[in-house]
Every structure is written in C-alpha cells, then in structure tokens.
Amino acid sequence: MKSDIPLPSHRGNRFYQGGVATLVANALQAVNFLGDRFLRKSHHSLSAIEDLYRHSMDSAFSVTEAFLVTGAPHASAYYPRDFAWFYPDVLDPETVMDPQDAVRRVRLLEKSVRLLLEAVRAGVVTTTIVPAGRGRYLGVNYFSRPSDTLLGILAGLQQMISAEDRTAAYLAMSQCAHAGRLLLAEYGGDLKRAILQLASELEPFNDDGTRYLLCDVHTPRSAATDTRAERRRFVTNASVYTTFVWGVQLGVVDENELKRLLGRDLAQYKTDLLRLFGKDGHIRHSLEGSASSPASSVALDFVSVHRGFWNMSDASERAMFAATTDLIIAEPRFRIPSTFHFLVSADNPRNKMIHRIAAPAYQGRSCWPTFNVEFADRMLDYDEFTGGEAYRACAQGILKDIRTATEVHGGYQELISEQGLKYRTWAYKGAVAHSWFPRFLSVWRRAYGTPLLRWIDESTR
C-alpha cells in the first residue's frame, strides 16, 4: 500500500493515496451518495428535448464547474475513464449550442485533462480522484485497480488535439487543439512511464496450451462496468489494448518498446484477445465460471469505446461483432419489454458485497443509455463497412427510445431499471447524466442523417 505522503504537482496541487486517503475518500463519497439519495428532489418530467438539452449543457459546462463530471451524485468526484466511455464527443461542433457554449466546453475540458495529467505525474493512476479541500485530491480505487484510467486520459487529449480537424466554426476549437498539444508535450514523459508500467503488469494466462497476456488473471480490474467482480474480462483487456494503440498514435510511446515488454506486436496482441474471448464464435464477457447459455455469457460493454477496440474493416472482426450482437438482440431477457432498451446483461453478475446490498442490478439487469448509444454506433460501423442495412433499424430504435426516456424522465439518465423506470434503490438514485448528452446527439445524426436539434445545426453555419 502506498503511503499518504502528499505528492505535489508543479502547479501546487497535492495528491494523496494510501490507507488514510482511502478512508477519508470513502467517508466523503458515502455522505455524498446517501445525501443525494435522500435529499435530491425529483424535478419535472415530460419536457421538450430542446429544453432538456440546453439545461444539461448549461449545467455540465457551467463556469462554476472545476471539472467535467457526470452529474449528481457523482459530481463530487472525478472519474478519468469517463473521457473515453461517456463523453468522447463534447467538442463535436454539431452538439454545441453557440460560441459561448464552445468556450465553456473547451475551458472545462482543458482544466479537467490537465488535472488528470498532474495526477499521473504524481504517480496517482486510480479509478477515482476525490477533492478534499483547496488544491488537495485523494486518489482511490473503486473497486479494484483500473484498466481504463489511462485510456480516459488519452481520450481527453485526443479530443482536444483533434478539435480543429472537425470544423472551423468556433475559434475556441483551434485554441483547444493548441492547448492539447502543449499538454502532450509537457506530460508525455509521465504518460509514457505509466503506459509502460501498465504493460509490465500483464500476466500470462494459459488456455489450451497457448499463452496469452491479461491484466486481470488473478484479481479483477476496474473498467466502466466496475461493480462487476469477475476476472479475465473482455472489456478490461480490450481497454488495455486500446490504451497501447492510442499511446502509439499520439506519439507517447513507441510500439517497439511495448513489443519488448509484451513479447508480441500490437496486432498479434489483439488477435490473441479475439481468439481467447471469441473461441465460442462470439465475445464471451468473462472467462471466469460457466454460463447457462450463450446469451448469459455476453455483456453489452463488449462494444468497448468510441474509435477504440473494434475495426469493422476487418471481416473476421465484423463476424465476431455480428455474432455477439445477434445473441443480444435475439435474447428477450436482454431488453426491457416492448422497447429497444438493452440491459447490460441477461443476468445480474457476481458483485462486490456493497453492491449486492445497495444496488444489486446496477451493472447487470439495468439499462445504461450510454452503452446503448455505443451499441448503436458500432452497429452503424458494421453497416457502413458491409454496405448493407443489417442493423440500422435497430440502431435507430435504440436512439428513439432513449429520446423518449429522456423526455419522460426529465433528463438524460445514467441508467434505467429493467421495468423502464428511473433506477433507484434504498441507497442509490441514478444520476441525470448531463455531460453524456452530446454523445447521444452525435450518434443520432449519424443514424438518421439529420440533427436531432435543428437550432444547433443552424448555429454552426
């Protein structure tokens, strides 16, 4: 266990991790989550999507915010992985309301990514960073060490640097790209050390006489679905692979350095993962335990992240994706009846004890709109590369039902119960995920060919 000696950044922020830091962070988070559950009042429902979106953007990118977060009750802590999983499109100009909105988004993204890079420099690569007073931050792992924290940081940098490539509609975008390049130059060495450390932590896993490398052979590693307690999960290892690829693409690390540590190049590393997790013809969620049926062996997070693991130009990957997708679509237990809301899994997984008590279906038999958005986006990827329409209708159905749920429930939901209601238990109430809303708009436009909110389209001209 690391000590609780403060680790300063060059900007004066101090990062703490260790036993005492974890206890303090747990106490702060418990107060916040329970306080949110019992004190937050429910607001209006059935509002126009335009009004809900404007409110969400004003809330998510308020000038008073110090960091980009999901929304209550998560707003008191920072989750680095979210930059890859949940808001990879906050700089998409077609989701920006006006020049002032663009400036707010750029400002907050730059502040957020800089703080995460300071934490990496201080050696704090954790799932969660909890503020503890002015310039003091506690690094803590919920509920195991991360597989996708560096992935999120790289995603934030990627989004900043590529902002000017998408359009010249807003001056703030080119300024953001410049800021991203400066951050990459300043912290590239720290990121390189962290990525090589992650590569050195992979462990051999033998299956049918073949030696593979996994990040979670003996203990679970946290990912976006971090309450699931399984080991040897596809999503954690796909995240690690994507981290390496993005690190190479950004020039943070040389692939030959990774090859020396892994004993194989990245193409072979990915081929190995697909062979291991896809040996039944579809992507098995976890190699731990046995499933009662093929549909019980898969989970919706196999779609990984935007522009991440899946390469639909490869015929064998398309076939694997289609086989897994077809299992999910065909299984009635995978969706809320009479909707295109797909659950994370057909069965509730083995969870940590705290989640069995407080939120048993949190990442099992519940629907996460944002995972559904990524599911739809991968379907559109598939159709684009096949030149067909195999999944477009399903993708459009997913997005249409998310729009309906957003209007009915009065905001873009973190998750929905298997009964189609807002997810809540005696201890937890799901967030209104303001910062996840832009990604939905980006994929909607791709699926339907027209923007959901026409007034945003006019403002970008």
Side-chain angles (χ1 to χ4, degrees), residues 445-457:
R445 170 128 194 185
R446 185 182 185 195
Y448 284 94
T450 57
L452 176 60
L453 308 179
R454 297 300 181 95
W455 53 273
I456 287 184
D457 183 53

Side-chain angles (χ1 to χ4, degrees), residues 170-208:
Y170 298 110
L171 176 61
M173 297 298 181
S174 61
Q175 295 172 337
C176 183
H178 178 66
R181 287 189 290 268
L182 291 177
L183 287 175
L184 181 60
E186 183 176 358
Y187 292 97
D190 305 297
L191 280 172
K192 177 179 178 178
R193 284 190 292 273
I195 291 171
L196 293 177
Q197 175 63 35
L198 177 63
S200 71
E201 294 171 357
L202 301 186
E203 299 176 286
F205 176 72
N206 293 306
D207 183 76
D208 294 333

